[in-house]
Amino acid sequence: MIAGYVLRLARESALYTQIGLAEALEVDLATVQGWESGRRPLANMRAGGLLDLKRRLPVLGADRDVVQLLEAAMDADRIVGAALDPPQRPDQHPLAEWVHTRTTAHMIAWAVNGTPPPSIANRPSPTRRGASPIAPRLPVQERSVLFTQLRDTAEAAHTAGDGAALLRRQALYLTSYDRSPGAPAWTSHALHSRRGVLAVRGWSQHWAEARSMAAALARQGDQQPLLDFINRSLVDDEAAEAANLNYWAYWLGAARGPQSNDAFMLDRRLTDWDPVTLLRLLVQGLDEAPTYVELYAHSLWALLTACPWLPQAAPKLSADLRERIERILDSGGISARSRQELGTVTYRLREHGN
């Protein structure tokens, strides 16, 4: 359903009707209608046909930012489908099989809360006749079932074998998108019930879970676990600092993927992603995700510490970062550590003429 809606947006951005797109792609009208409605899921296409579709759409004039969401939308459809109709074996749940990304999470948030992903949030809405959905929203009943099943999945994750930790942390993280009455209390209780994970210092086998838990609680308005995570599980620990940058790179889309588990975070070489791309995405995040400004601030400091040459490699981006940091420092509302680290980042940028 989500991928079908994204395809519809791509078609509309190219100013094609369903009939026009069918003719351009040399398929019948029922095929296009089936793709967009979800009756013929895009994920069921042969790999060659799907690749051809993703390449043809921009050629026809479709918005590239929309087309790039198709893969994440298909991932989100699979996760939602598994949540609504769980597999018999927990280790076969998609949340136990691969590490999902921010874009995939944004697709799911779009379906449950109507919040569009940042990359297309400001694009004009297409003109349509009659009543048309403005988001790939799940019906109320299905949203309720989705979050109920995610909670049950998190609680039964210990039966998923090697994928147990990944399944539990990703299912719990997604429950924090539930805005129904009483949902925040359940999520908060479930996360705090594993407070022992949050108490671990530095890198551990539960580090990724602690990070996800702290981020989920921050989304619900409880910032203290995130501050504690930075101070306890990141600062002065080289393995944890490397894991944080590796995770950011994968989560934001600067790293190669997909990853079947969290082991990739342990690579201290920091060679599987492009530092300039990660810098750009972290700078964007300062505005897009103010809830996590503390984690963004520390991560920017860590990235420039690991790659001190970045200001020279990306001068315009560095200048943009300086302006954003100045606005944050002027507005206040951040911890003393973040203020100090952002001050250090500003000094480094100025040192290199930015």
Side-chain angles (χ1 to χ4, degrees):
M1 185 193 77
I2 304 172
Y5 187 85
V6 171
L7 177 62
R8 177 180 180 174
L9 288 184
R11 169 178 61 78
E12 292 173 338
S13 71
L15 303 180
Y16 275 85
T17 62
Q18 288 183 330
I19 293 175
L21 182 63
E23 292 175 349
L25 296 177
E26 298 182 349
V27 298
D28 57 66
L29 175 60
T31 296
V32 173
Q33 291 174 332
W35 287 340
E36 292 190 4
S37 67
R39 292 192 304 271
R40 303 178 75 165
L42 289 173
N44 289 352
M45 292 178 65
R46 291 185 176 181
L50 181 59
L51 180 62
D52 183 62
L53 174 64
K54 290 165 65 177
R55 288 177 174 173
R56 286 279 292 153
L57 287 170
V59 173
L60 295 174
D63 187 321
R64 291 180 181 273
D65 288 337
V66 177
V67 176
Q68 287 180 355
L69 295 176
L70 275 173
E71 186 172 343
M74 288 187 285
D75 280 344
D77 275 329
R78 187 179 173 205
I79 292 171
V80 171
L84 295 174
D85 184 18
Q88 291 185 346
R89 290 173 46 187
D91 62 314
Q92 294 179 336
H93 197 291
L95 291 177
E97 291 181 333
W98 84 90
V99 184
H100 68 72
T101 66
R102 181 182 66 163
T103 308
T104 302
H106 283 166
M107 293 292 100
I108 295 172
W110 201 12
V112 297
N113 295 325
T115 305
S119 61
I120 62 170
N122 297 320
R123 63 189 298 275
S125 300
T127 301
R128 297 168 176 165
R129 294 181 180 179
S132 299
I134 60 174
R137 291 292 299 272
L138 285 172
V140 174
Q141 182 59 34
E142 287 192 3
R143 292 202 299 270
S144 177
V145 173
L146 169 69
F147 287 116
T148 297
Q149 294 287 17
L150 283 174
R151 295 184 186 104
D152 291 346
T153 296
E155 291 179 344
H158 63 278
T159 63
D162 292 340
L166 183 62
L167 176 59
R168 178 173 50 249
R169 80 166 179 84
Q170 295 197 130
L172 274 177
Y173 181 81
L174 291 176
T175 63
S176 66
Y177 284 105
D178 188 359
R179 295 179 179 175
S180 62
W186 184 94
T187 302
S188 178
H189 172 75
L191 294 172
H192 281 297
S193 68
R194 295 186 60 77
R195 56 186 175 273
V197 171
L198 287 169
V200 177
R201 291 191 173 276
W203 170 262
S204 76
Q205 61 179 339
H206 300 296
W207 183 92
E209 182 180 0
R211 189 184 189 279
S212 293
M213 289 167 58
L217 288 167
R219 178 185 294 112
Q220 295 188 326
D222 185 359
Q223 290 286 329
Q224 193 57 49
L226 186 59
L227 293 172
D228 291 342
F229 173 79
I230 295 170
N231 290 323
R232 183 182 295 122
S233 302
L234 276 180
V235 174
D236 297 330
D237 189 293
E238 292 183 4
E241 294 284 16
N244 185 52
L245 293 177
N246 288 331
Y247 194 6
W248 268 129
Y250 181 80
W251 177 252
L252 297 178
R256 304 166 190 162
Q259 296 288 348
S260 59
N261 55 54
D262 292 332
F264 72 96
M265 301 179 200
L266 287 171
D267 182 9
R268 296 197 193 185
R269 298 171 300 167
L270 308 181
T271 56
D272 286 342
W273 42 268
D274 175 41
V276 174
T277 301
L278 179 56
L279 177 63
R280 175 176 56 81
L281 294 170
L282 288 173
V283 172
Q284 289 177 357
L286 282 175
D287 287 339
E288 293 176 354
T291 299
Y292 308 117
V293 65
E294 303 279 350
L295 187 55
Y296 274 99
H298 179 80
S299 301
L300 283 164
W301 171 87
L303 179 59
L304 286 172
T305 299
C307 306
W309 47 266
L310 271 174
Q312 293 174 312
K316 292 183 179 180
L317 181 57
S318 299
D320 183 26
L321 175 57
R322 266 191 64 184
E323 292 179 4
R324 298 190 189 206
I325 289 176
E326 288 172 1
R327 291 199 300 268
I328 292 172
L329 293 178
D330 288 342
S331 64
I334 59 174
S335 67
R337 174 177 291 280
S338 289
R339 182 171 290 276
Q340 179 182 7
E341 289 176 339
L342 288 177
T344 300
V345 170
T346 301
Y347 173 78
R348 289 175 178 168
L349 294 175
R350 285 175 178 165
E351 190 178 28
H352 291 282
N354 292 294

